[in-house]
Each structure stands twice: as structure tokens, then as C-alpha cells.
Amino acid sequence: MKKVSEQEIALLHQFVQKRFVEFYDVELELVDHLANGIEQQWADNPELRFEEAKQIEFKKFGVFGFVGVVEQKQEELSSLYIKEMMQYVKSFFSFPKIVLTIAIYLSLFAIGYKGGEVGINILRGVAGSLLFIFLGLGVYWNYDIRKNRKRRNKSRMFLLDSIAIKVFFGGAFMPFIMQVPFFVSRRTDEYSIFGLIFICLVILLLGLWTCIMFFIFKPYFTQQIERIEKQYA
């Protein structure tokens, strides 16, 4: 059966890009879909010209072209990636890790409760240091995403890259993490027992979110992008 050539694949990429498909992994799926459709047409009519087959295949997407398909594909991929990531999160909170998490929280509380002013200052220092590490790693991750895009010689990002940034800045723990500057700036004598409970929780969640992001999510995103690159290589 007649196959789509590499030059024709490049033309399909240009065709898809002109229709404002933002993410490269979505573009790859659309190009693959068009190429398969064209080859199916050639199986029935080998004399059909490439441009004619391309337009016939594109018309199958309807009046709005790729718009609806792109939105659907982005929702599908986003749901798939988030679902898979949640499985990693659940495994992180499985036994015995959950016991270690509780033990760390109780230790933090004991430091603040028993240590008085020194203990509170230690907690404030830990919170500030974790926030600095978290933001620093976030800057590094953003740099890493840009570097990998340059390596792929692509100006646009993967949908995975976009999800990674949204997960980092819109994670479930972010409302707690944003409280760190407030607690660090408070005077020691302003801490109540409830404030101590909360800052220990903030420190714990900040530490957990940092570990989850950079020891679970980041390797996951890297593996998925490598898988997609190999699939369409």
C-alpha cells in the first residue's frame, strides 16, 4: 500500500500548525490521524493526489476543522495525565509512608511547643528554607522545560509541559504554601496553639508537595514526553 513520505509528513505538520494547534503532542496525534486517513484513501484509490487526499481527510473534521478536536484531545490527554499522576500521589501516602508523615508532623509540633521561642524560630527557618527550595526548584524546572524544547528544536511546548506548569503553580497544596511568608514574618509572641498547629501543617505540606513534584511528577512528565517522542520518531 502507498505510504505517506517524510516530505509529506512535514507538509502535514505545516498544515496542522497553520490551524493554530498549540501543543506539539496534540499536533503529532493529528498528523498521525491525517496520514493514516490518507493512506486508507490511497488503498482504495492509489492515483489520488496527496493534496486532494489531505483536503478530503480534513473535511471529515467538519465545519470547525481542528478546533473541536483539539479541545477534545486536550481534555482527554489532560484527564489521562492527571489520573495517572493521582495514582502516584496515592502511592506516596500508602503505608508506611503515611506513618512517617504523621511522625514528622508530631516532631515539628513538639519542636515548636516544647522549644518556646527557639522552637518557633526553628519552624520559621524551616518554612522559609523550604519555600526558597520550592521556588528555586520551580525556576529550574521551567528552565529544564525550555531547554528540552530547544533540544527538540521546537518553539512550541508539549501539552504535558503546560500541565506541568499548571500543576506546579496550581497544586492542591498551594493555598497552604502561600501562607509561609505570613507565618515567617510574624513575631514569636503572636503564635497561638492554633497558629503552631497550622504552621506545622504548612511546613509538612510544603515539604510533601516539593517531594511529590520533583521525585514523582517531574520524572513522570519526562518519561511521558520521551515515550511520545519515540512513538512518533
Side-chain angles (χ1 to χ4, degrees):
M1 184 175 70
K2 188 178 177 182
K3 296 289 185 181
V4 177
S5 68
E6 291 186 8
Q7 182 179 2
E8 289 166 338
I9 289 291
L11 291 174
L12 288 177
H13 275 285
Q14 294 176 14
F15 180 78
V16 172
Q17 290 169 15
K18 289 179 180 178
R19 279 145 185 86
F20 306 105
V21 177
E22 181 180 3
F23 300 110
Y24 187 54
D25 39 356
V26 178
E27 176 187 320
L28 287 170
E29 293 208 17
L30 288 171
V31 168
D32 188 59
H33 180 86
L34 288 171
N36 289 334
I38 291 170
E39 289 175 354
Q40 288 297 322
Q41 292 185 58
W42 281 342
D44 299 328
N45 183 7
E47 301 302 319
L48 187 65
R49 293 192 304 112
F50 170 77
E51 285 297 326
E52 292 177 321
K54 181 185 71 176
Q55 292 300 329
I56 291 172
E57 202 62 34
F58 179 61
K59 287 180 181 178
K60 294 180 182 179
F61 287 90
V63 178
F64 297 103
F66 292 139
V67 175
V69 176
V70 169
E71 291 178 355
Q72 179 184 358
K73 184 57 62 177
Q74 288 181 193
E75 289 178 3
E76 289 177 359
L77 290 175
S78 297
S79 298
L80 174 63
Y81 296 150
I82 292 172
K83 182 179 179 180
E84 290 183 355
M85 286 188 295
M86 288 303 101
Q87 295 300 319
Y88 284 94
V89 173
K90 289 179 181 179
S91 68
F92 193 85
F93 286 99
S94 62
F95 185 86
K97 293 176 183 176
I98 189 64
V99 176
L100 178 61
T101 300
I102 295 172
I104 291 173
Y105 178 81
L106 293 176
S107 298
L108 290 170
F109 183 81
I111 291 172
Y113 187 73
K114 298 290 186 180
E117 182 177 350
V118 174
I120 294 294
N121 286 332
I122 290 174
L123 294 182
R124 291 164 66 182
V126 170
S129 298
L130 280 175
L131 181 62
F132 179 79
I133 292 170
F134 176 78
L135 294 176
L137 289 174
V139 171
Y140 168 75
W141 192 353
N142 185 60
Y143 165 77
D144 195 46
I145 288 174
R146 293 177 182 275
K147 183 182 68 174
N148 286 328
R149 286 167 60 189
K150 186 176 181 180
R151 174 183 60 81
R152 295 191 299 263
N153 197 28
K154 298 295 176 182
S155 59
R156 292 169 300 130
M157 66 171 62
F158 276 80
L159 177 58
L160 272 170
D161 292 331
S162 177
I163 294 174
I165 294 171
K166 289 178 181 177
V167 167
F168 181 84
F169 289 105
F173 298 153
M174 284 304 293
F176 294 95
I177 293 171
M178 296 305 295
Q179 299 299 317
V180 171
F182 169 73
F183 279 102
V184 171
S185 63
R186 294 182 70 183
R187 297 199 310 269
T188 304
D189 58 3
E190 292 178 334
Y191 280 86
S192 64
I193 187 67
F194 296 106
L196 179 59
I197 291 172
F198 194 73
I199 191 175
C200 290
L201 179 62
V202 168
I203 291 172
L204 180 69
L205 294 180
L206 177 55
L208 285 175
W209 190 240
T210 302
C211 291
I212 290 170
M213 288 301 300
F214 293 96
F215 293 105
I216 296 178
F217 285 177
K218 192 174 187 300
Y220 168 81
F221 286 124
T222 301
Q223 291 170 5
Q224 290 300 311
I225 288 176
E226 289 176 351
R227 178 186 62 80
I228 293 171
E229 289 179 327
K230 289 179 181 178
Q231 179 180 349
Y232 293 98

